[in-house]
């Protein structure tokens, strides 16, 4: 469905330049849900914006790489084609529905517009479909609510409207960036259930970006842990949760309550600060905060490779043997 190879993105700030994503590669199978986690500034949003052609350029710049979506390279297709894909075959949900929705247009019109643009529907057909979509995302009295404006909806309801817009054209791929972060835990749970149901019904492939390991556990097949624009660990959720191999992943998991991991377990208990991308340490960027770091970690960045003795596709970037170190520390 999607094959990203060596995506590299830079940013300039005050006359300085940083490679905030030095070379990201991953692929996504049809129907797979990928959960991308990592602290603030790890490059989660920047990588998604680069894929969607929405990176602010300047100060950002895509420096290289490929992102093949159904045979087309998203990084080099013409802007017009990308616009056609966005909202059509690729649905997008961002964190803040108030900035993404147009305050002066009715909700009905905003759902109908992509259907008219991408699916060639008449206004009447699109509004009928919009009613179905609002009902599908769990908004009651849908026909009446079509003529209302975004401010007449609660935060959770607005996020549902955003989801209705994102799925309106039955996208093959849905990219969601912190779609539930602004919502309270109960509403967050409802939206997650809704997404899981829609994924089944529409056969969608999803990229779900979040701070929240609990959300990843609930919705993703595959987890990708990012730090300083790099993948520190990636693999099937069960394998990574059961035996993390990057100390960063381990730290994120430690910050959650043990046993049940409900949505809401946020990541903020790793000592130290996320790195300044304009002033990265040499070697493994997590080394300065890593209690298990070896001398080598401070001088040479570890490659991302298959974890020995784990399931295929469980990859980690670490010079040390975390399970052995944890065993010894016991
Ligand atoms: N407009 C910008 N100008 C300069 N640098 C930027 C800009 N936007 C992002 N960056 C840089 O890109 C890096 C990655 O940012 P990104 O927004 O992808 O982080 P994130 O993982 O999405 O974080 P969060 O969890 O806070 O959303 C940041 O560390 C920052 O240095
Ligand atoms: Mg972000």
């Amino acid at each position: 469905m999607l094959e990203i190879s060596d995506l590299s993105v830079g940013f300039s700030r005050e006359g300085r330049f940083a490679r905030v994503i030095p070379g990201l590669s991953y692929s996504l199978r049809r129907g797979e849900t990928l959960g991308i986690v990592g602290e603030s500034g790890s490059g989660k949003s920047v990588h998604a914006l680069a894929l969607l052609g929405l990176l602010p350029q300047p100060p950002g710049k895509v420096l290289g790489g490929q992102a093949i979506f159904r045979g087309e390279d998203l990084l080099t297709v013409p802007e017009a084609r990308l616009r056609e894909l966005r909202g059509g075959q690729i649905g997008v949900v961002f964190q803040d529905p108030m900035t993404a929705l147009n305050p002066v247009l009715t909700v009905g019109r905003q759902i109908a517009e992509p259907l008219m643009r991408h699916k060639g529907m008449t206004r009447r057909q699109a509004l009928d479909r919009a009613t179905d979509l609002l009902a599908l995302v769990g908004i009651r009295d849908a026909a009446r609510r079509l003529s209302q404006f975004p401010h007449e909806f609660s935060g959770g309801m607005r996020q549902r409207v955003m989801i209705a817009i994102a799925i309106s054209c039955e996208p093959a791929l849905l990219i969601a960036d912190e779609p539930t972060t602004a919502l309270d835990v109960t509403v967050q749970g409802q939206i997650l259930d809704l997404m899981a149901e829609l994924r089944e019904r529409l056969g969608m492939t999803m990229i779900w970006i979040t701070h929240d390991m609990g959300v990843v556990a609930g919705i993703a097949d595959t987890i990708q842990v990012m730090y300083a624009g790099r993948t520190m660990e990636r693999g099937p959720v069960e394998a990574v949760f059961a035996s993390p191999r990057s100390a960063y992943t381990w730290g994120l998991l430690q910050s959650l309550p043990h046993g049940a991991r409900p949505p809401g377990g946020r990541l903020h208990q790793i000592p130290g600060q996320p790195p300044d991308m304009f002033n990265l340490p040499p070697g493994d960027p997590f080394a300065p905060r890593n209690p298990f770091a070896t001398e080598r970690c401070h001088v040479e960045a570890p490659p991302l490779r298959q974890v020995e003795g784990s399931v295929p596709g469980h990859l980690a970037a670490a010079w040390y043997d975390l399970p052995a170190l944890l065993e010894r520390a016991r």
Side-chain angles (χ1 to χ4, degrees):
M1 179 62 63
L2 179 67
E3 176 98 49
I4 299 176
S5 37
D6 219 17
L7 169 66
S8 168
V9 181
F11 261 103
S12 48
R13 191 167 68 200
E14 291 158 14
R16 296 173 68 202
F17 185 80
R19 267 176 191 267
V20 299
I21 297 180
L24 185 70
S25 303
Y26 69 82
S27 58
L28 214 57
R29 291 186 321 275
R30 194 169 167 209
E32 182 174 1
T33 297
L34 171 67
I36 300 186
V37 287
E39 288 163 302
S40 206
S42 55
K44 305 182 299 294
S45 297
V46 162
H47 115 278
L49 292 172
L51 295 182
L52 294 163
L54 297 174
L55 196 71
Q57 307 203 53
K61 188 167 172 48
V62 175
L63 302 168
Q66 279 194 324
I68 308 294
F69 170 71
R70 294 179 145 183
E72 290 178 274
D73 184 358
L74 298 177
L75 303 183
T76 55
V77 290
E79 174 54 32
R81 175 65 185 146
L82 208 50
R83 263 202 304 274
E84 203 173 294
L85 289 170
R86 269 197 319 258
Q89 291 182 51
I90 305 178
V92 185
V93 189
F94 287 116
Q95 175 177 345
D96 182 2
M98 223 27 203
T99 56
L101 290 171
N102 187 330
V104 302
L105 296 181
T106 62
V107 158
R109 178 143 173 216
Q110 296 186 61
I111 305 176
E113 197 267 341
L115 290 165
M116 288 157 56
R117 179 153 44 103
H118 296 289
K119 295 283 181 192
M121 289 188 184
T122 64
R123 192 174 181 77
R124 190 65 256 157
Q125 288 169 328
L127 285 171
D128 282 347
R129 180 80 186 120
T131 314
D132 297 344
L133 283 161
L134 277 191
L136 184 67
V137 297
I139 293 182
R140 254 167 277 184
D141 202 6
R144 185 179 61 84
R145 303 216 74 179
L146 282 187
S147 58
Q148 295 186 326
F149 292 90
H151 72 264
E152 297 176 75
F153 288 71
S154 69
M157 288 295 154
R158 278 196 292 266
Q159 197 55 286
R160 287 170 191 258
V161 171
M162 285 305 300
I163 292 169
I165 294 172
I167 63 168
S168 60
C169 298
E170 305 197 348
L173 174 65
L174 185 93
I175 301 181
D177 189 351
E178 308 267 11
T180 60
T181 303
L183 306 175
D184 70 55
V185 174
T186 314
V187 180
Q188 192 178 348
Q190 290 167 358
I191 299 275
L192 286 174
D193 289 346
L194 168 69
M195 291 313 298
E197 189 193 316
L198 292 172
R199 174 184 54 190
E200 297 310 314
R201 203 180 306 180
L202 305 175
M204 276 187 308
T205 306
M206 297 204 301
I207 298 176
W208 196 277
I209 295 173
T210 176
H211 277 84
D212 192 325
M213 279 292 209
V215 166
V216 171
I219 199 159
D221 306 304
T222 307
I223 178 173
Q224 181 159 312
V225 180
M226 289 183 63
Y227 190 83
R230 293 146 175 85
T231 302
M232 304 301 275
E233 184 155 12
R234 173 188 164 93
V237 168
E238 311 76 55
V240 173
F241 273 55
S243 181
R245 305 304 170 112
S246 158
Y248 184 58
T249 314
W250 179 79
L252 296 180
L253 288 169
Q254 288 300 108
S255 72
L256 285 175
H258 285 285
R261 294 190 164 101
R266 297 181 66 82
L267 322 173
H268 46 58
Q269 287 169 18
I270 298 177
Q273 292 296 314
D276 173 7
M277 293 305 293
F278 289 81
N279 200 1
L280 270 191
D284 180 341
F286 185 59
R289 297 169 71 191
N290 180 3
F292 301 106
T294 63
E295 263 172 53
R296 190 175 187 186
C297 299
H298 292 281
V299 291
E300 192 182 344
L304 185 66
R305 13 168 224 204
Q306 170 68 39
V307 171
E308 269 177 60
S310 186
V311 294
H314 184 179
L315 314 175
W319 290 126
Y320 44 86
D321 179 354
L322 187 64
L325 292 170
L326 289 172
E327 186 60 37
R328 213 176 301 156
R330 229 186 247 182

